[in-house]
Amino acid sequence: MAEKTDRRIRRTKAILSRSLIQLMEEKEIRDISVKELTDLADINRGTFYLHYNDIYDLLAQMEDELFVEFNEILDRTMKDRSGGHSAKVVLVEIFYFLERHRELAKMMTGPHGDFSFVNRLKNLVGKRIYGILSSKHGDCECLYMEAFVIAGCVGVIEAWLKQPKPAAPEEMAAICSNILTEGLGLE
C-alpha cells in the first residue's frame, strides 16, 4: 500500500510542478495564487498544503531537485577528468539533463523565472570550473576566465532553450566544447 501512496504523491507533485511551470510562463511567481495553481492542476488546496507551505516552497523544492540531479551529473563526470571525461562528455550529460527538464529550465531562465536559480547555477558551475582553471592559470587570469566561461555557457543554454527546434544535446556539446577548447578565433 505504501508504494501506491508514494506513486500518488509523486503524481500529485508532478502535476503541481507542471502547472506552476505553465503559470510562470505567463506571469511572475508573486502574482500566482495557490487557488489559481490548484484550479489549473485540478487538485484540492488542502492537498497542496499537505506537501508545500506556499508557492515559493513548491518552487524551491523543484529547484532543489534539479540541483541534486545536476550535482550528481557533475560529480560523476568531473570527478576523474584524467579517466577520459573530457569537457565534451560533461557537456553532453549537461545538455541531456537540460533536455529532460527543458520546460522547467526554460521557465527558470525566462522573463518570469527565478534569478536566484540562475545565480545559484552560476555559483555551482563556477566552483567546479575554478578548480580546473586554477591548476593551469594564475589566480587573476583564472578569475576572469571563469566569469567568461560561465556567462558564455549560461548564454548558450538560454539561447538553446528558446529554440522551437533545438539542436540535439550531442551537437550542443560539440559546439560548446569547440568554443571552450578552440576559442572564438577572433584576432
Side-chain angles (χ1 to χ4, degrees), residues 27-160:
K27 57 171 89 174
E28 302 287 331
I29 190 167
R30 68 176 176 267
D31 298 327
I32 299 171
S33 69
V34 171
K35 179 175 179 2
E36 181 180 22
L37 175 67
T38 56
D39 285 350
L40 178 62
D42 197 25
I43 290 177
N44 184 300
R45 282 188 346 184
T47 301
F48 173 87
Y49 285 114
L50 283 174
H51 304 291
Y52 307 104
N53 296 322
D54 54 24
I55 298 285
Y56 295 99
D57 185 33
L58 168 57
L59 182 62
Q61 287 188 37
M62 290 167 61
E63 288 179 6
D64 289 344
E65 288 173 15
L66 271 183
F67 275 99
V68 166
E69 186 178 346
F70 190 68
N71 264 313
E72 289 170 358
I73 289 167
L74 294 178
D75 288 343
R76 185 178 69 250
T77 59
M78 294 182 81
K79 180 172 58 173
D80 183 18
R81 299 249 337 213
S82 63
H85 288 112
S86 67
K88 187 174 178 184
V89 170
V90 176
L91 289 164
V92 167
E93 289 280 336
I94 290 171
F95 277 101
Y96 269 114
F97 164 77
L98 290 167
E99 186 174 67
R100 280 192 306 277
H101 301 288
R102 174 172 284 283
E103 292 305 313
L104 179 56
K106 183 178 176 181
M107 180 272 299
M108 291 294 220
T109 58
H112 303 294
D114 183 2
F115 294 115
S116 67
F117 170 83
V118 175
N119 287 333
R120 187 175 170 191
L121 181 63
K122 287 178 177 180
N123 288 335
L124 173 64
V125 173
K127 287 178 187 174
R128 302 292 181 122
I129 290 174
Y130 189 84
I132 295 167
L133 294 175
S134 65
S135 66
K136 298 177 183 178
H137 305 280
D139 284 342
C140 183
E141 185 179 7
C142 181
L143 174 72
Y144 296 113
M145 290 176 76
E146 174 192 346
F148 185 81
V149 168
I150 291 169
C153 288
V154 170
V156 167
I157 289 168
E158 288 174 334
W160 180 68

Side-chain angles (χ1 to χ4, degrees), residues 10-26 32 37 40-41 43 52 58 62 100 103-104 107:
R10 285 192 309 268
R11 182 181 172 278
T12 298
K13 288 183 170 189
I15 290 168
L16 287 167
S17 294
R18 283 192 305 268
S19 297
L20 182 61
I21 291 168
Q22 185 178 342
L23 289 170
M24 284 185 71
E25 288 173 354
E26 303 165 9
I32 299 171
L37 175 67
L40 178 62
I43 290 177
Y52 307 104
L58 168 57
M62 290 167 61
R100 280 192 306 277
E103 292 305 313
L104 179 56
M107 180 272 299

